[in-house]
Amino acid sequence: GVTVEDIAYRIRRLNDIGFVWDVLGEHWKQTYQRLVTFQKEHNSTLVPQEYDVDPELGEWVCKQRKLYGDFANID
């Protein structure tokens, strides 16, 4: 069977090649970097929700505002 040592070895091998364990977190960081680029180019973070250049970015910004609103309204 698979031993703890086998699992540790496999994890080290995956880490050695930059394996992404937190896919959602990595996606968030990448999309945030696209927002940073947008902000530098437009001097604003007001990405249109239907932004033709990067539709996912517009939707992501909208979602972040909604999540913030949900969080900010917690009593």
Side-chain angles (χ1 to χ4, degrees), residues 21-45:
W21 296 101
D22 180 4
V23 176
L24 294 176
E26 185 63 25
H27 183 262
W28 189 95
K29 287 188 251 180
Q30 290 174 358
T31 310
Y32 170 80
Q33 286 304 315
R34 294 186 351 235
L35 177 61
V36 169
T37 300
F38 179 94
Q39 192 278 332
K40 287 178 181 175
E41 291 175 1
H42 301 278
N43 200 32
S44 169
T45 58

Side-chain angles (χ1 to χ4, degrees), residues 7-31:
I7 294 170
Y9 171 77
R10 292 171 185 176
I11 290 170
R12 282 194 308 276
R13 296 287 308 264
L14 291 168
N15 286 338
D16 287 347
I17 63 169
F19 188 82
V20 174
W21 296 101
D22 180 4
V23 176
L24 294 176
E26 185 63 25
H27 183 262
W28 189 95
K29 287 188 251 180
Q30 290 174 358
T31 310

Side-chain angles (χ1 to χ4, degrees), residues 1-2 7 10 14-15 18 23-24 30 35 45-48 50 52 54-56 58 60 65-67 69 72:
V2 178
I7 294 170
R10 292 171 185 176
L14 291 168
N15 286 338
V23 176
L24 294 176
Q30 290 174 358
L35 177 61
T45 58
L46 296 174
V47 182
E50 295 182 14
D52 291 338
D54 187 347
E56 183 186 26
W60 184 85
R65 288 195 176 102
K66 181 184 181 332
L67 290 170

